[in-house]
C-alpha cells in the first residue's frame, strides 16, 4: 500500500487516485466504527462527558 501511495503522489493517475480515495474511505469508516463502539461502551458505563450527536443518533435508532 505504501508503494502505491508514493507512486500516486509522484505521478497521479485516475486509478491511483481512486485507490487512494478508497483506502482513505476505508480508514475513515473503520475509525468511525471503532469510535462508535468505544463511545457506546463508555456511555453504558456512565463515563461520557460530552455527547457526540452522530453516535447518539445511531444509538437512539438502535433502541
Amino acid at each position: 500500500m505504501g508503494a502505491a501511495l508514493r507512486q500516486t503522489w509522484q505521478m497521479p493517475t485516475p486509478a491511483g487516485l481512486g485507490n487512494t480515495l478508497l483506502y482513505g474511505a476505508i480508514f475513515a469508516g473503520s475509525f468511525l466504527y471503532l469510535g462508535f463502539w468505544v463511545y457506546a461502551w463508555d456511555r453504558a458505563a456512565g463515563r461520557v462527558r460530552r455527547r457526540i450527536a452522530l453516535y447518539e443518533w445511531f444509538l437512539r435508532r438502535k433502541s
Side-chain angles (χ1 to χ4, degrees):
M1 180 174 118
L5 292 175
R6 277 192 299 277
Q7 183 180 2
T8 301
W9 183 260
Q10 292 172 355
M11 188 173 55
T13 62
L17 291 174
N19 285 339
T20 302
L21 291 175
L22 179 64
Y23 282 125
I26 290 170
F27 174 76
S30 300
F31 190 78
L32 288 171
Y33 182 74
L34 179 61
F36 170 77
W37 286 110
V38 170
Y39 181 83
W41 292 325
D42 284 348
R43 183 176 181 250
R47 292 186 298 238
V48 171
R49 294 180 189 203
R50 186 186 302 178
R51 296 200 180 266
I52 299 174
L54 178 65
Y55 294 158
E56 288 292 332
W57 181 73
F58 277 113
L59 288 169
R60 267 184 278 143
R61 288 187 67 201
K62 186 178 177 184
S63 15

